[in-house]
Amino acid sequence: MPVTQELYNTPLKVDGGDYKAANVDAIIIGAGIAGLTAAHGIHRAHLSVLVFEASDSVGGAIRTLRSNGYLVECGPNTLLDTHPEVATLIEEVSLSDARIFASDKAKKRFVVRNGVPVPLPTSAGAFLRTPLFSTRAKLRLTAEPFIRKRRTNGEESIASFTTRRLGKEFLDYAIDPFVSGVYAGRPERLSVQHAFPKLGEIEERYGSLIIGQVLGARERKRRADTAKTSGRMFSFENGLDQLPLGIADALGQRIRTRCRVRSIHYLNPNWQVEYEDASGRIRAANANSVVYASGLQHTSLIASLSSTAPEIETVDYPPLNVVALGFRTEDIGHALDGFGLLVPACEDRFVLGALFSSTLFDGRAPVGHALITAFVGGARSPDNASLDDANLLSATVQDLTSLFQLKTGPVWHHISRWPKAIPQYNLGYGSVKAALNNIEERHPGLFFAGNYLSGISVAESIRSGVTASEHVESFIRKSQPVVI
Ligand SMILES: Cc1cc2nc3c(=O)[nH]c(=O)nc-3n(C[C@H](O)[C@H](O)[C@H](O)COP(=O)(O)OP(=O)(O)OC[C@H]3O[C@@H](n4cnc5c(N)ncnc54)[C@H](O)[C@@H]3O)c2cc1C
């Protein structure tokens, strides 16, 4: 097996610098996509901004590796053009032309049933014929429009919601693998109201998911002429990290990598941010406002403000490993003709699922080779994520061998470990959001941004960064004296 040559995105070379004397309009903690987007918006509003990032590169969870002719996404693989803020940001950093869209083949997705990958049906006819669901489960679906809305208030788990409306088999072979693919989470724990709020809203509005689906599609069709690219899946020619690198390029020296923020204090009327620079020295910087975009894995920072709400400290971030595997095409029996494959928990396998990365986008594997990206761990099987590299690799390959009729092992691999990967919007997440709102209200000039607010996707994280930048701008403008 060739030794992996790692070529992560180039770290920005900047020195720590002491900003105690200067007072900037905003300090951003964390150069993930949410923090970068916030900094970008603040900079465009002609306000002064500084970004402190603990690691040596920007992008946070967005991390692209180029090695041995493969282009691997160690974190997210795709971005969805679901919100106008995404296209606007990409345009503003002049990356619109660098976008590449997912292959048409990616419309097909597989779900494992009885150890075999079965295509997820995409039409009514295919649904009637698919072996993915039993006749009983298909008949059960026809009852859905007649099931009454839930009467009780409060959060409901995705498992309870789905079983109530669509039946247990639909939970097992459609929703459970989907939830695992998006959140690496468990439907028994995730809250419908926070993890998939649209589902709860459809039930509330139409009284039925099936009726809501039909009427919602009609409404979307009517709107289609104004949002033609809405919902398209894309990446960039050189991988997803082109986006954070593009934003960082425009911000230049305003970003300080290898600067870990240790505490934040409100020293009326300013904020003081204490950080450790690359050489280990403790320094301080002052600002009129602060955007906290470093995730809820690091709540000691929030605790430095006031006593942290226990809800915030206990947000679950299960571990997730990304195992990228390069094969000679001739060694794979499966056509890899789709987006990827999802594994339901009841199938009791090692991997959570796998993406057909080289089918999804061009240029992801050398000619004659294919790239498969498997996911291991998550809330379903966190112990699998703690295996050492050799055991993780062999268990992953063994599991995929029967699914893809592999004739031999991979010719190349790379493992990325995310010890705290994705925040779980579990039951009770409403109190996490309420606690965050409460902290924001009690601290003028402090704003939150990131994937723990209103969605874990890259698109939602971008949106949260845009909102934070708008809040900073209006806060700063309000606190400035009006010049007549
Ligand atoms: C394996 C994986 C696959 C995924 N797949 C997809 C996908 O296909 N599509 C999709 O839309 N989403 C996907 N996601 C989710 C999405 O990538 C993330 O939710 C999103 O990128 C998070 O952005 P963020 O800016 O909120 O946080 P992060 O990216 O976590 O950024 C936070 C930043 O803060 C920094 N930081 C932390 N503490 C400090 C400190 N004390 N001082 C300074 N800096 C600090 C961190 O180093 C980090 O750079 C995936 C996530 C993972 C992990």
Side-chain angles (χ1 to χ4, degrees):
M1 194 105 27
V3 178
T4 307
Q5 180 205 353
E6 302 203 347
L7 287 173
Y8 287 121
N9 46 30
T10 323
L12 296 173
K13 299 274 182 258
V14 286
D15 65 346
D18 189 348
Y19 291 88
K20 196 164 188 174
N23 195 63
V24 290
D25 288 312
I27 284 176
I28 317 292
I29 307 172
I33 195 65
L36 287 173
T37 305
H40 169 83
I42 293 165
H43 178 51
R44 279 179 66 87
H46 305 291
L47 299 174
S48 51
V49 63
L50 262 182
V51 183
F52 291 123
E53 165 56 46
S55 75
D56 63 1
S57 59
V58 298
I62 303 178
R63 187 168 270 255
T64 306
L65 169 82
R66 296 157 199 100
S67 174
N68 292 37
Y70 293 94
L71 190 153
V72 173
E73 297 296 356
C74 306
N77 278 260
T78 55
L79 229 168
L80 268 179
D81 204 355
T82 41
H83 304 302
E85 290 89 343
V86 176
T88 305
L89 175 70
I90 291 170
E91 208 176 302
E92 285 171 357
V93 294
S94 309
L95 282 175
S96 302
D97 291 343
R99 291 200 296 184
I100 51 169
F101 291 91
S103 144
D104 277 348
K105 285 187 194 154
K107 287 183 185 138
K108 192 164 165 190
R109 286 156 195 254
F110 294 86
V111 173
V112 178
R113 175 130 202 183
N114 300 328
V116 178
V118 179
L120 203 60
T122 51
S123 66
F127 176 74
L128 291 175
R129 290 188 304 272
T130 182
L132 189 58
F133 304 106
S134 67
T135 308
R136 204 166 151 210
K138 291 173 190 170
L139 286 172
R140 168 66 177 79
L141 267 197
T142 59
E144 196 275 340
F146 307 102
I147 291 169
R148 274 193 287 181
K149 280 197 238 177
R150 179 167 169 250
R151 296 243 170 100
T152 47
N153 290 327
E155 295 178 28
E156 183 180 19
S157 75
I158 290 171
S160 153
F161 179 91
T162 312
T163 311
R164 182 167 61 73
R165 295 221 61 91
L166 304 165
K168 174 83 167 66
E169 201 175 315
F170 210 75
L171 168 68
D172 288 345
Y173 284 96
I175 302 299
D176 171 277
F178 174 69
V179 160
S180 180
V182 175
Y183 276 87
R186 293 185 57 179
E188 302 78 23
R189 295 185 193 159
L190 286 163
S191 158
V192 177
Q193 284 69 22
H194 295 284
F196 293 100
K198 284 211 176 91
L199 282 184
E201 283 161 25
I202 292 173
E203 181 183 45
E204 195 47 45
R205 183 162 170 206
Y206 301 101
S208 151
L209 298 182
I210 292 175
I211 294 173
Q213 194 60 30
V214 174
L215 296 181
R218 272 190 212 157
E219 285 165 23
R220 278 197 299 279
K221 208 170 175 184
R222 271 204 300 275
R223 288 198 305 262
D225 50 349
T226 53
K228 285 200 177 84
T229 57
S230 167
R232 285 182 76 188
M233 194 184 281
F234 66 94
S235 179
F236 297 92
E237 283 158 4
N238 295 327
L240 263 193
D241 75 352
Q242 254 189 284
L243 182 57
L245 288 176
I247 304 171
D249 235 18
L251 289 166
Q253 299 276 311
R254 292 170 191 86
I255 302 177
R256 308 277 139 176
T257 51
R258 293 202 288 158
C259 285
R260 176 175 295 280
V261 174
R262 292 162 46 109
S263 64
I264 34 181
H265 300 283
Y266 185 54
L267 306 175
N268 193 0
N270 293 333
W271 288 90
Q272 188 175 76
V273 172
E274 211 179 66
Y275 64 97
E276 188 178 338
D277 73 8
S279 63
R281 270 181 301 179
I282 307 302
R283 293 172 175 272
N286 292 341
N288 297 322
S289 65
V290 168
V291 175
Y292 178 97
S294 51
L296 296 183
Q297 308 98 314
H298 314 284
T299 47
S300 59
L301 276 188
I302 304 179
S304 66
L305 278 178
S306 58
S307 55
T308 319
E311 299 87 341
I312 297 178
E313 280 173 4
T314 52
V315 171
D316 186 23
Y317 278 81
L320 184 64
N321 294 341
V322 179
V323 185
L325 303 164
F327 293 91
R328 281 192 302 256
T329 317
E330 70 222 37
D331 292 336
I332 307 174
H334 193 281
L336 302 184
D337 52 341
F339 177 82
L341 157 146
L342 289 167
V343 180
C346 59
E347 290 281 315
D348 199 20
R349 302 190 75 98
F350 184 74
V351 303
L352 299 174
L355 289 180
F356 307 159
S357 306
S358 49
T359 307
L360 199 49
F361 297 113
D362 286 339
R364 270 38 186 170
V367 175
H369 292 72
L371 178 67
I372 296 176
T373 308
F375 297 85
V376 174
R380 184 193 293 172
S381 39
D383 290 347
N384 289 350
S386 59
L387 288 179
D388 61 35
D389 282 4
N391 284 311
L392 178 67
L393 179 67
S394 73
T396 304
V397 173
Q398 195 184 348
D399 200 20
L400 298 185
T401 295
S402 62
L403 291 173
F404 299 138
Q405 299 121 53
L406 301 177
K407 293 178 191 136
T408 180
V411 292
W412 177 88
H413 77 271
H414 179 269
I415 294 171
S416 317
R417 292 178 183 268
W418 299 97
K420 286 173 179 260
I422 294 174
Q424 302 293 299
Y425 291 19
N426 283 342
L427 287 172
Y429 207 76
S431 57
V432 175
K433 286 190 171 175
L436 291 169
N437 280 340
N438 185 273
I439 293 174
E440 261 185 351
E441 273 165 20
R442 283 190 292 119
H443 295 90
L446 174 75
F447 304 102
F448 290 108
N451 61 358
Y452 53 88
L453 290 177
S454 337
I456 58 111
S457 70
V458 175
E460 295 286 3
S461 306
I462 289 174
R463 221 177 175 199
S464 78
V466 171
T467 306
S469 70
E470 288 167 354
H471 285 159
V472 165
E473 191 184 349
S474 85
F475 175 79
I476 300 286
R477 303 272 185 240
K478 258 191 238 154
S479 44
Q480 274 170 356
V482 180
V483 181
I484 303 175

